[in-house]
Amino acid sequence: MDIKYLGHSAFELNADGKKILIDPFLVAVPDYKPENIYNIFVTHAHGDHLGSAIEISKKTGAPITAVFELANYCAKQGAKTQDISLGSWIDYSWGRVCAVPAFHSSSTPDGQYGGCPCGFILEAGGQVIYHAGDTCLSSEMKMIGEVYQPDVAMLPIGGKYTMDIEHAVKASEWLGATMIVPMHYNTFDAISVDISEFERQIREIGKMPLILKIGG
Ligand code: NI
Ligand code: MN
């Protein structure tokens, strides 16, 4: 899978020629045009993750995959949706996806309960990517490491609302992934970090920090 970073926790993946968006909050990439999108995954209902998902679904016809309450919210606004439960796989032509636990909260932009927040395991072309969503460090990451064996882990590192660098390093050890992609940092002041410190600490535990340029 090719990975393009769209800022904050947003990524565009390309799996077998199919473009997939995760948490498409796109303020960092004003020139990005979401075209030919095949699937959209949203980890929870907060605005900095739901982002433009509904609009993009309506425009492209790509279904939004999210937990039941959030999928229902999106469907009511006219998006195409598919609900997913924690621990269950959904098969696609390009691979398969499972929702895994995240410890956080979730409410829609108008204040409704957004269901349980989650992370996603995406399997395609013999590669396993874990997108953690917004979460604290949790022992679930030991389970995720053992059961799903991710090659690449996308982890929030900004602190305040999620794990910080120190906890993301511990998570990386538990997950066993070799490549660690930082996210949810430096979007605004409350989550600003020294990214060179993340790079240093990830190298120190023998893993590869994959610091992606926004839009690249
Ligand atoms: Ni959040
Ligand atoms: Mn967030």
Side-chain angles (χ1 to χ4, degrees):
M1 274 179 279
D2 292 336
I3 304 173
K4 187 191 265 190
Y5 185 41
L6 302 176
H8 204 55
S9 295
F11 293 88
E12 183 199 276
L13 305 182
N14 192 316
D16 201 19
K18 308 270 167 52
K19 281 202 239 169
I20 297 152
L21 289 176
I22 309 175
D23 285 358
F25 174 66
L26 304 173
V27 294
V29 283
D31 296 331
Y32 174 74
K33 300 259 178 297
E35 279 160 0
N36 303 315
I37 304 300
Y38 207 75
N39 286 103
I40 304 164
F41 296 89
V42 180
T43 60
H44 65 292
H46 289 156
D48 60 319
H49 297 262
L50 181 58
S52 310
I54 293 168
E55 197 184 310
I56 297 168
S57 172
K58 285 198 219 168
K59 204 178 126 204
T60 64
I64 297 171
T65 302
V67 296
F68 182 74
E69 290 82 358
L70 178 53
N72 278 354
Y73 173 83
C74 296
K76 276 190 194 136
Q77 322 250 344
K80 210 168 140 188
T81 62
Q82 174 180 49
D83 61 278
I84 190 166
S85 295
L86 295 186
S88 79
W89 288 104
I90 294 181
D91 289 314
Y92 299 94
S93 60
W94 48 267
R96 63 177 188 157
V97 173
C98 187
V100 293
F103 289 87
H104 189 60
S105 67
S106 182
S107 50
T108 61
D110 61 1
Q112 294 176 49
Y113 172 58
C116 178
C118 72
F120 290 113
I121 301 288
L122 299 100
E123 253 187 41
Q127 216 183 10
V128 180
I129 294 179
Y130 166 50
H131 184 295
D134 276 0
T135 186
C136 64
L137 178 65
S138 92
S139 55
E140 291 297 336
M141 289 162 187
K142 294 182 187 174
M143 176 282 287
I144 291 169
E146 185 176 328
V147 173
Y148 302 99
Q149 302 178 1
D151 304 297
V152 179
M154 298 165 165
L155 303 178
I157 66 162
K160 173 79 175 162
Y161 311 102
T162 67
M163 293 191 279
D164 56 12
I165 291 175
E166 185 189 338
H167 285 181
V169 169
K170 180 51 77 182
S172 303
E173 290 180 323
W174 288 348
L175 289 161
T178 49
M179 280 176 275
I180 313 297
V181 179
M183 63 180 187
H184 214 272
Y185 70 98
N186 291 357
T187 318
F188 36 87
D189 286 350
I191 57 171
S192 66
V193 303
D194 174 2
I195 196 64
S196 65
E197 189 52 30
F198 165 82
E199 191 170 3
R200 190 186 65 74
Q201 291 191 32
I202 290 294
R203 285 198 199 283
E204 209 169 80
I205 59 165
K207 298 188 183 293
M208 190 201 287
L210 209 63
I211 298 161
L212 301 174
K213 259 179 65 184
I214 293 173

